[in-house]
Amino acid sequence: MTLIKSKFRTAVASLALAPLLMASPAAGAESVPAVTTGPVFNDPSGDTAAEGRILGHLGRLVNGAEPGSSIRISLYLYGSEWLTDQLLAAHQRGVTVQMVLDHDSTGWGAGKRLQAGLTGESWVRFCKEQEACLAKDPGTTAADPNGWYDNVNHNKTFLFSRTKGNGVVPVDNVVVQSSGNLVEWDRVSGWNDAMTVAGNKELFDAYTGYFNDQAAAAAGQTPQVADYAHDTQAGPAKVYFFPRSTTDVVVNVLRTVAQPVGTAAPCHGNDAGFGTSDGRTKIRIAQGHITRPEVAEELWKLADAGCHVDIVYRKLDNPPNTAVAGWLTKPTAKGRIALRQLYNDERGGTGTHTKYLLIEGTYLGGKNKKIVFTGSHTYTVTALKYNDETMLKYEDAAVFDAYVQNFEAQRAAAENEGL
């Protein structure tokens, strides 16, 4: 868990606006949507434009929102005065704007200014101090006898019912699942991603239902919950919401990296071009914080079975605990797990703030898979049991390959910056 006294305050990750939000078509060309499915990444080691790409991406979606449509945002830290101006302008042209913010966002003025400028069906709601909105406050526990652990609305989700972005053709049911908050640190120091899924109504409806439950709990209309197991499969996408009191979603995912039918060993049997050169499954993780020993143990088991496990991380464990580091540094039958720390932001460098898991190879009895799991969910106890969080699975080769490119950039930054 994360102590309130030392809680990490993140900031907006302006992610790189990749070729996924295309410019308007040339005159005379057939109209195509400007808003399409795929990831956007920032580069905090780059120039101002590279740092600010997610914020620009979100701004274009806000500015392209159609009158009569809705924008719903659930966020941990919000401090963007610039996006507040865009959201107020959208409200003035007839867009419903609704936002659920963690109480920690009151440390910035942008949320309060947006709240003051919205009327009617548009509003901003804050969670209670030192609590999430929907997830039940754990209160005093054996692990925390003083009740000091702070649970939060840690989400970074943006829902647009109808937007044309910077194009000319509106697209319905647009979900943006990000790893970054909208404050300065996330933009200039933290590596972040934002995955856009366009035109997937089932996925959009699942996110909307979760948002509505958060909003109702924030307003005191419904009670907080200890378990919110509302997984939804929607074509190539699947969304997992938190908190969870009885199961560890990440452990379950790792246990599903199973041997394909007809092969003799787990982590083996992929065709050329998938996984390692000898067909072993590759697992790549770029994660801000890992404290759950159960997750680390499953990663070690997979590495010991032959999977290639490569991790870029910001922090492991919470001192004095060392169980996670113990599992991830323990030798395996194939050698050690590849571990690289990217935690130089406190010394003027960069730090990883993404929370993604990439599986290339065997999964659920099949082989040659390329699957991305991303979102707000850190591999911590607080994120599992006590926070409002979301994790998005997406199975698509082009999306996966874009994430691999970002992972390699983070790995290179970890090697180049050093500690």
Side-chain angles (χ1 to χ4, degrees):
M1 297 191 211
T2 305
L3 270 176
I4 181 172
K5 306 292 192 277
S6 62
K7 180 171 26 170
F8 177 53
R9 293 179 176 271
T10 43
V12 63
S14 314
L15 312 177
L17 183 59
L20 306 163
L21 287 139
M22 308 298 291
S24 300
E30 182 181 356
S31 294
V32 295
V35 184
T36 58
T37 294
V40 173
F41 306 94
N42 79 318
D43 182 352
S45 66
D47 57 18
T48 301
E51 293 171 351
R53 288 169 183 157
I54 285 182
L55 187 59
H57 171 38
L58 295 171
R60 281 181 278 275
L61 293 175
V62 170
N63 292 333
E66 295 279 275
S69 70
S70 64
I71 299 171
R72 297 181 176 92
I73 299 172
S74 180
L75 198 60
Y76 174 39
L77 297 179
Y78 178 69
S80 176
E81 297 290 349
W82 178 81
L83 193 63
T84 294
D85 290 338
Q86 316 310 310
L87 290 167
L88 289 172
H91 174 60
Q92 290 299 316
R93 67 173 183 270
V95 177
T96 298
V97 176
Q98 298 176 348
M99 185 180 288
V100 174
L101 295 176
D102 188 80
H103 189 272
D104 285 352
S105 281
T106 59
W108 288 264
K112 289 290 189 180
R113 183 165 73 89
L114 180 61
Q115 185 181 50
L118 298 178
T119 59
E121 294 298 313
S122 296
W123 40 256
V124 175
R125 294 178 185 172
F126 293 90
C127 307
K128 295 178 182 179
E129 188 173 4
Q130 299 183 22
E131 294 187 21
C133 284
L134 183 60
K136 189 176 182 179
D137 184 353
T140 300
T141 66
D144 180 26
N146 295 314
W148 284 352
Y149 287 117
D150 188 6
N151 59 320
V152 298
N153 171 25
H154 197 242
N155 279 295
K156 299 95 169 56
T157 59
F158 307 82
L159 311 176
F160 302 85
S161 66
R162 186 172 178 82
T163 179
K164 61 180 180 295
N166 63 339
V168 296
V169 179
V171 176
D172 294 334
N173 304 316
V174 177
V175 173
V176 180
Q177 175 63 66
S178 182
S179 69
N181 302 290
L182 294 183
V183 291
E184 188 74 358
W185 184 91
D186 291 67
R187 183 174 64 83
V188 303
S189 298
W191 294 79
N192 282 286
D193 68 296
M195 177 64 192
T196 300
V197 181
N200 187 325
K201 186 178 187 304
E202 189 173 5
L203 183 70
F204 182 87
D205 288 346
Y207 270 88
T208 300
Y210 180 60
F211 177 89
N212 289 339
D213 288 342
Q214 274 198 294
Q221 298 166 353
T222 60
Q224 294 174 322
V225 298
D227 194 88
Y228 195 90
H230 291 264
D231 304 346
T232 300
Q233 183 77 50
K238 184 175 183 179
V239 62
Y240 308 80
F241 301 109
F242 299 83
R244 301 299 179 100
S245 60
T246 59
T247 186
D248 188 321
V249 174
V250 177
V251 168
N252 289 347
V253 166
L254 294 174
R255 288 176 178 170
T256 310
V257 183
Q259 62 191 60
V261 176
T263 62
C267 293
H268 294 74
N270 298 291
D271 293 338
F274 294 89
T276 64
S277 59
D278 57 351
R280 291 181 293 118
T281 294
K282 274 189 175 182
I283 297 172
R284 303 170 176 93
I285 294 173
Q287 173 61 254
H289 202 180
I290 307 174
T291 68
R292 301 206 299 267
E294 299 83 2
V295 172
E297 182 180 1
E298 289 302 321
L299 288 167
W300 182 87
K301 288 178 179 178
L302 288 170
D304 194 54
C307 287
H308 178 78
V309 180
D310 198 345
I311 301 173
V312 175
Y313 69 95
R314 188 172 184 267
K315 295 181 181 179
L316 300 180
D317 291 306
N318 279 327
N321 300 323
T322 60
V324 167
W327 278 113
L328 296 183
T329 58
K330 182 180 178 180
T332 75
K334 283 286 185 179
R336 293 184 181 273
I337 290 172
L339 278 176
R340 296 171 179 84
Q341 187 173 26
L342 183 51
Y343 184 15
N344 295 303
D345 47 284
E346 293 183 353
R347 290 171 289 276
T350 67
T352 184
H353 194 250
T354 52
K355 304 107 171 61
Y356 62 69
L357 161 67
L358 311 180
I359 297 173
E360 181 180 4
T362 57
Y363 193 78
L364 197 61
K367 64 180 184 178
N368 303 338
K369 301 287 187 178
K370 289 189 172 185
I371 306 172
V372 174
F373 294 85
T374 189
S376 69
H377 184 75
T378 56
Y379 300 164
T380 64
V381 175
T382 306
L384 176 67
K385 293 186 175 182
Y386 307 124
N387 283 355
D388 297 349
E389 305 266 8
T390 306
M391 185 171 76
L392 174 66
K393 172 189 175 186
Y394 205 84
E395 187 168 358
D396 178 88
V399 168
F400 179 90
D401 290 346
Y403 271 91
V404 170
Q405 185 176 359
N406 178 259
F407 178 83
E408 291 173 350
Q410 292 199 51
R411 185 174 57 189
E415 294 171 348
N416 293 336
E417 291 185 19
L419 282 176

